[in-house]
Amino acid sequence: MRIVWLQLLLLSVLDAKTYIEISDNTVADAGTILVKLRYDYEADRPDRSYVAFEGKRYPLYPNLFDETGGDYALIPVCYGIRPHKTKLVVVEITGKTKRYMTFPVTIRSAHYRKERLRVDPSRAKISEKNRRRIRREAKEAKAIYTRSTPELYIDAPLSPPLQSKITSPFGTKRLFNGILKSFHSGTDFRAATGTPIRAVASGRVVLAKNRFFAGNSVIIDHGEGIYTGYYHLSRFLVKKGDFVHEGEVIALAGATGRVTGPHLHFSVHVNGTLVDPLCFIDTFNKLFF
Ligand SMILES: [Zn+2]
């Protein structure tokens, strides 16, 4: 922890008005960068500000966990992006004045494992009806993840949903008959059918339904662009629209959808991008320390 903080301090820009910390200047694909801003006085807060990264703008939100005030932003890095050097720019706008504060960032490869699966081509075939269903479900999920509720429901550091063994890590590349078809979009935890599944943080249930690949799925909106997903459930204990509290049992684990056995698949999206859930938890928790 000490080493991380030293690095943070080295990256800080001591300016007349704004102090900026970024969680890391080297980040793997599907990682998340945390940007924290602090001001000497409330009057130093700019009228507007945002973070620009890889051609996109990310909002800054008030950091409710910083007693001295300040803002934060979570910047997701896309899965599979080629390693390269880039820049993260904090833009502050006050009246007609724009200030740009630039930080170099290196994106590296996470070197996700490859999994080779041999499937009988006739068995791997998906019917046209199911293809339409898959497209519909993907569109519905995209619409959810690109919305952002301007209020954070998370009020404590995050923990993984289960303490059980991780049976399949995030990011594994899946080659079917030698062709890269997909990658593992979450972290799988060992969970027998019927295991209670708890919400990792408070939030609003925005999806609770059966889907083709994910089976019975719950997605929770935690606000400020953060969503968690819980898949392959055997039973729902919440419905769409419910507000759930951290640690509340939302469902029971199962083996629904395209799986070979019961487990919990846990996923995280931030600001419209799928990220490594466990890396996200580590980075998000730096808001508290
Ligand atoms: Zn999974």
Side-chain angles (χ1 to χ4, degrees), residues 1-288:
M1 188 50 84
R2 206 190 162 110
I3 294 163
V4 172
W5 270 107
L6 274 176
Q7 197 174 19
L8 280 173
L9 290 170
L10 284 172
L11 287 165
S12 298
V13 163
L14 179 59
D15 179 82
K17 291 178 173 178
T18 306
Y19 302 85
I20 302 172
E21 294 169 358
I22 71 170
S23 55
D24 228 324
N25 61 348
T26 299
V27 63
D29 64 315
T32 306
I33 302 169
L34 171 68
V35 181
K36 290 204 263 189
L37 271 70
R38 284 198 189 111
Y39 315 100
D40 273 340
Y41 303 100
E42 185 57 28
D44 293 336
R45 189 186 288 266
D47 296 344
R48 284 196 299 127
S49 54
Y50 62 88
V51 177
F53 184 73
E54 294 286 288
K56 282 191 185 167
R57 287 183 182 189
Y58 295 93
L60 281 146
Y61 293 107
N63 181 356
L64 305 176
F65 313 111
D66 179 358
E67 288 167 4
T68 63
D71 296 314
Y72 85 99
L74 288 164
I75 317 299
V77 178
C78 289
Y79 178 91
I81 192 171
R82 68 181 165 81
H84 65 286
K85 289 186 191 305
T86 185
K87 286 178 204 156
L88 183 149
V89 185
V90 177
V91 183
E92 289 191 346
I93 305 155
T94 301
K96 286 183 177 169
T97 312
K98 253 187 178 183
R99 289 205 313 160
Y100 299 86
M101 288 155 285
T102 302
F103 298 83
V105 171
T106 302
I107 296 175
R108 65 173 179 85
S109 168
H111 298 292
Y112 294 112
R113 283 191 307 140
K114 280 184 190 153
E115 196 173 61
R116 287 170 205 281
L117 304 164
R118 292 223 154 264
V119 185
D120 175 352
S122 64
R123 274 199 61 203
K125 220 166 157 45
I126 294 169
S127 72
E128 189 47 45
K129 191 177 161 221
N130 281 333
R131 271 178 209 281
R132 281 200 298 275
R133 180 182 171 189
I134 291 160
R135 277 200 294 272
R136 217 170 38 240
E137 288 171 355
K139 215 173 142 187
E140 180 184 40
K142 195 176 172 197
I144 288 172
Y145 297 134
T146 47
R147 277 199 300 269
S148 189
T149 305
E151 181 189 348
L152 187 68
Y153 302 124
I154 304 173
D155 51 12
L158 299 171
S159 306
L162 289 171
Q163 294 304 321
S164 63
K165 184 176 186 274
I166 290 169
T167 51
S168 176
F170 171 87
T172 305
K173 294 170 187 168
R174 285 171 175 168
L175 289 89
F176 286 88
N177 301 332
I179 300 159
L180 179 64
K181 283 277 186 190
S182 65
F183 66 94
H184 190 220
S185 62
T187 304
D188 287 352
F189 292 87
R190 178 171 287 167
T193 296
T195 304
I197 302 301
R198 298 170 188 278
V200 297
S202 301
R204 178 90 48 201
V205 176
V206 286
L207 183 142
K209 66 188 273 193
N210 183 272
R211 298 191 294 171
F212 184 78
F213 287 116
N216 292 342
S217 317
V218 171
I219 298 174
I220 301 176
D221 173 7
H222 301 288
E224 298 183 353
I226 303 165
Y227 293 86
T228 54
Y230 311 78
Y231 299 170
H232 313 308
L233 309 164
S234 59
R235 200 171 144 202
F236 295 111
L237 297 172
V238 290
K239 59 183 187 316
K240 185 179 170 181
D242 286 353
F243 191 86
V244 294
H245 293 278
E246 182 205 339
E248 196 175 320
V249 179
I250 53 168
L252 304 181
T256 56
R258 281 218 153 183
V259 289
T260 49
H263 67 274
L264 174 72
H265 172 107
F266 173 63
S267 69
V268 173
H269 282 77
V270 59
N271 288 322
T273 301
L274 178 83
V275 291
D276 179 330
L278 300 185
C279 288
F280 174 81
I281 288 175
D282 279 351
T283 304
F284 181 84
N285 287 347
K286 287 176 185 164
L287 264 182
F288 296 89

